[in-house]
């Protein structure tokens, strides 16, 4: 059982930056594909970014490409999401998730989820 705990969310002005972190309890963290997803009020949970076991390849939703960067530190059992040039439409609860290979952007295929961290972008 993999336990995931997100942190780093908060209130930020449009154009600003935030860095989310997700710490995993699993000693074999590098066995897992790690993804970030988000859910805005009244909307379904959607894919944001995913990273393979050792840092590459990575994939991004078109809406965040060029603004967000996913990375991981297997020595710290942590995955990150650097979010730059934030927009109002980035407001959502952000979740990290884990699965065993293969890599996928499909929300339904992720077995383990964190509790989420809220991000609010204001004008």
């Amino acid at each position: 059982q993999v336990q995931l705990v997100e942190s780093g969310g908060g209130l930020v002005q449009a154009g600003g930056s935030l860095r989310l972190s997700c710490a995993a309890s699993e000693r074999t963290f590098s066995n897992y594909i790690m993804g970030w997803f988000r859910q805005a009020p009244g909307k379904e949970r959607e894919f944001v970014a995913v990273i393979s076991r050792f840092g590459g390849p990575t994939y991004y939703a078109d809406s965040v490409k060029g603004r967000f960067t996913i990375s991981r530190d297997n020595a710290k059992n942590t995955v990150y999401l650097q979010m730059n040039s934030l927009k109002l439409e980035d407001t959502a609860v952000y979740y990290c998730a884990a699965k065993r290979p293969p890599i996928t952007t499909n929300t339904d295929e992720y077995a383990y989820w964190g509790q989420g961290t809220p991000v609010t972008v204001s004008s």
Side-chain angles (χ1 to χ4, degrees):
Q1 185 78 7
V2 181
Q3 294 184 329
L4 303 171
V5 179
E6 302 96 335
S7 61
L11 176 64
V12 63
Q13 286 192 322
S17 298
L18 279 176
R19 188 195 197 199
L20 306 183
S21 299
C22 172
S25 62
E26 179 60 44
R27 290 187 299 112
T28 56
F29 179 69
S30 61
N31 286 349
Y32 293 86
I33 304 296
M34 298 300 299
W36 284 98
F37 299 81
R38 67 186 182 186
Q39 187 167 17
K43 295 188 177 181
E44 292 188 353
R45 193 170 299 187
E46 64 177 4
F47 163 74
V48 174
V50 62
I51 189 167
S52 61
R53 294 167 58 199
F54 299 103
T58 58
Y59 299 100
Y60 297 90
D62 288 342
S63 59
V64 307
K65 204 171 292 184
R67 299 188 298 121
F68 290 10
T69 303
I70 188 171
S71 61
R72 66 190 295 162
D73 185 339
N74 287 344
K76 296 182 178 179
N77 290 358
T78 301
V79 62
Y80 305 97
L81 186 68
Q82 178 67 43
M83 305 187 297
N84 299 329
S85 303
L86 282 160
K87 303 177 180 181
L88 296 178
E89 53 264 41
D90 294 319
T91 295
V93 177
Y94 283 72
Y95 299 88
C96 71
K99 70 177 298 292
R100 292 190 179 272
I103 196 169
T104 179
T105 63
N106 188 340
T107 305
D108 294 340
E109 295 188 33
Y110 283 77
Y112 306 102
W113 292 84
Q115 82 290 348
T117 185
V119 171
T120 303
V121 183
S122 64
S123 58

